[in-house]
């Protein structure tokens, strides 16, 4: 869509291919980032398709029974919230000297024990693992490698090796890497907030959400038909679980009882004025002015009530 800024050069149509929700036998830092992205975009889907739709009915004064849907804000806070989010704790560990995956795990257990959506039982603590109850279910993560992956530092020996290359292209790559590393280093004794992989990922995700909020999104949901990844095998239970986890079931419920056809007043009058033409002409000559749309809707409502009355009367007469 066109940007809200009004710049005619900013009109665009974009396609966002979202990572699938990941839960493997061994889940690490990469899976946490991917699942954090899924959590954030799932919340955006819920707000756009479910909450905003129902809020519009309430603003229009339409009689409506609110359909509840799961809120995953506490899961997002658990992963990225200043003070106790998993990625924020990881960033603090990466900036402190002498930290390891073990100190990171211990810090998690100390700060997050008892938090909603967080799990760390005796078995998990012994294996330096933790669990997160995502919107799609529980995922257990291994803390091994978290600190190193989040730092993502290129060893100085490797950088020097690239700079000593006889290839101008490789030297250029090395200089780019060095300049990028220099920008991330602290300038006044404090590290920059987004100097880590997790911080950079979270920042990019927030920028993406802001961009999506400026558009009119349409969603295409891809479903895995079976766990064996074979053709012509449709597992109904697996499909239903995916639909529930993705909020599609609630979206269908809203669509079924909602009002999918949206007309402006002028469009509605242009299309259905023949159903209340006599009433609209009479109202236009009256001393008290009434909006044409109000006259037309009232005329249609009365005709619909008359049709219902005649149908009932006919049923009673015929003995039904």
């Amino acid at each position: 869509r066109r940007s809200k800024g009004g710049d005619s050069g900013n009109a665009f149509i974009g396609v966002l291919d979202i990572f699938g929700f990941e839960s493997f036998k061994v889940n690490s830092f990469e899976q946490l980032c991917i699942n954090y992205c899924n959590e954030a975009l799932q919340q955006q889907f819920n707000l756009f398709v479910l909450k905003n739709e129902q809020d519009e009915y309430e603003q229009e004064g339409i009689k409506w029974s609110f359909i509840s849907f799961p809120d995953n804000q506490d899961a997002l806070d658990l992963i990225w919230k200043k003070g106790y989010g998993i990625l924020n704790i990881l960033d603090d560990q990466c900036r402190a000297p002498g930290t390891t995956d073990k100190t990171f795990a211990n810090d998690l257990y100390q700060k997050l024990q008892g938090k909603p959506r967080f799990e760390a039982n005796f078995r998990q603590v012994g294996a330096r693992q933790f669990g997160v109850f995502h919107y799609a279910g529980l995922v257990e993560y291994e803390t091994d490698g978290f600190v190193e992956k989040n730092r993502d530092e290129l060893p100085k020996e490797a950088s020097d090796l690239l700079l000593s290359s006889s290839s101008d292209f490789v030297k250029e790559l090395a200089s780019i890497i060095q300049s990028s590393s220099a920008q991330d280093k602290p300038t006044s004794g404090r590290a920059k907030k987004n100097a880590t992989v997790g911080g950079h990922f979270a920042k990019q995700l927030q920028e993406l959400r802001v961009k999506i909020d400026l558009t009119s999104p349409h969603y295409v949901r891809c479903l895995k038909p079976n766990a064996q990844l074979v053709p012509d095998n449709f597992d109904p239970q697996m499909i239903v679980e995916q639909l529930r986890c993705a909020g599609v079931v609630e979206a269908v419920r809203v669509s079924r009882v909602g009002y999918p056809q949206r007309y402006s007043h002028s469009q509605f009058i242009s299309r259905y004025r023949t159903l209340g033409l006599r009433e609209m002409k009479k109202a236009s000559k009256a001393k008290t002015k009434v909006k044409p749309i109000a006259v037309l809707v009232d005329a249609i409502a009365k005709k619909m009530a008359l049709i219902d009355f005649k149908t009932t009367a006919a049923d009673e007469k015929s003995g039904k």
Side-chain angles (χ1 to χ4, degrees):
R1 64 169 293 179
R2 196 175 302 280
S3 171
K4 291 183 178 179
D7 187 352
S8 59
N10 287 341
F12 69 92
I13 297 175
V15 178
L16 175 62
D17 187 6
I18 304 172
F19 288 113
F21 186 83
E22 293 190 350
S23 179
F24 305 127
K25 290 183 178 179
V26 176
N27 301 287
S28 188
F29 176 73
E30 298 87 351
Q31 282 68 50
L32 180 63
C33 290
I34 290 172
N35 293 338
Y36 172 45
C37 177
N38 276 275
E39 287 281 1
L41 296 178
Q42 178 64 32
Q43 184 188 60
Q44 199 148 23
F45 171 82
N46 288 344
L47 292 175
F48 181 79
V49 176
L50 303 176
K51 186 177 185 300
N52 294 344
E53 179 88 359
Q54 300 188 84
D55 287 348
E56 184 177 352
Y57 294 155
E58 292 185 359
Q59 293 170 6
E60 293 288 337
I62 299 173
K63 292 183 179 180
W64 181 259
S65 179
F66 192 83
I67 296 175
S68 61
F69 55 89
D71 183 11
N72 64 339
Q73 182 60 51
D74 52 353
L76 293 172
D77 290 343
L78 177 66
I79 299 173
W80 181 260
K81 184 176 177 66
K82 187 175 182 180
Y84 71 83
I86 295 173
L87 292 180
N88 283 282
I89 294 174
L90 180 60
D91 282 357
D92 291 340
Q93 287 286 314
C94 290
R95 297 184 186 114
T99 54
T100 63
D101 293 325
K102 184 178 181 179
T103 61
F104 164 62
N106 291 335
D107 205 12
L108 282 183
Y109 303 145
Q110 181 181 356
K111 294 180 178 179
L112 298 181
Q113 195 66 42
K115 293 286 185 184
R117 304 268 191 162
F118 183 78
E119 180 184 72
N121 53 40
F122 289 111
R123 177 189 61 81
Q124 291 169 327
V125 171
R128 294 210 297 268
Q129 300 171 342
F130 66 93
V132 176
F133 289 92
H134 293 281
Y135 76 89
L138 174 65
V139 178
E140 196 172 76
Y141 296 94
E142 306 270 353
T143 59
D144 291 344
F146 261 65
V147 172
E148 182 180 355
K149 291 175 181 177
N150 193 45
R151 283 176 176 155
D152 195 29
E153 295 176 342
L154 183 68
K156 187 178 184 303
E157 293 79 5
S159 179
D160 292 341
L161 179 63
L162 293 175
L163 286 171
S164 65
S165 173
S166 59
S167 170
D168 293 336
F169 175 69
V170 174
K171 287 182 179 179
E172 180 67 19
L173 288 179
S175 63
I176 293 173
I177 293 172
Q178 277 195 334
S179 62
S180 177
S181 300
Q183 290 177 0
D184 287 340
K185 288 183 179 179
T187 56
S188 60
R190 292 184 62 185
K192 293 178 64 176
K193 287 187 177 181
N194 293 318
T196 59
V197 175
H200 186 62
F201 183 87
K203 181 183 177 182
Q204 287 186 319
L205 179 58
Q206 292 165 5
E207 292 172 350
L208 173 64
R209 293 193 62 175
V210 170
K211 182 175 290 187
I212 294 175
D213 284 337
L214 297 176
T215 66
S216 298
H218 299 268
Y219 295 88
V220 177
R221 288 287 184 180
C222 299
L223 303 175
K224 187 183 293 185
N226 60 78
Q228 293 75 33
L229 303 179
V230 296
D232 302 324
N233 184 0
F234 189 86
D235 185 346
Q237 184 64 31
M238 186 173 181
I239 294 295
V240 169
E241 289 177 358
Q242 292 178 76
L243 292 174
R244 286 174 178 163
C245 290
V248 176
V249 174
E250 287 82 4
V252 171
R253 288 174 60 197
V254 171
S255 298
R256 287 181 64 185
V257 300
Y259 302 88
Q261 299 295 333
R262 308 292 173 85
Y263 292 103
S264 65
H265 288 180
S266 59
Q267 290 175 325
F268 187 86
I269 292 173
S270 176
R271 180 160 186 170
Y272 297 108
R273 66 183 305 147
T274 54
L275 298 177
L277 195 58
R278 182 183 303 173
E279 291 82 353
M280 291 177 67
K281 286 182 178 179
K282 184 178 179 180
S284 65
K285 298 177 182 178
K287 293 182 179 180
T288 304
K289 296 298 181 182
V290 182
K291 290 183 178 181
I293 185 66
V295 176
L296 178 58
V297 169
D298 184 63
I300 295 175
K302 289 179 179 178
K303 285 182 171 63
M304 294 297 293
L306 184 61
I307 292 172
D308 182 65
F309 171 76
K310 288 184 175 180
T311 302
T312 305
D315 288 344
E316 291 177 354
K317 188 176 180 180
S318 61
K320 293 182 181 180

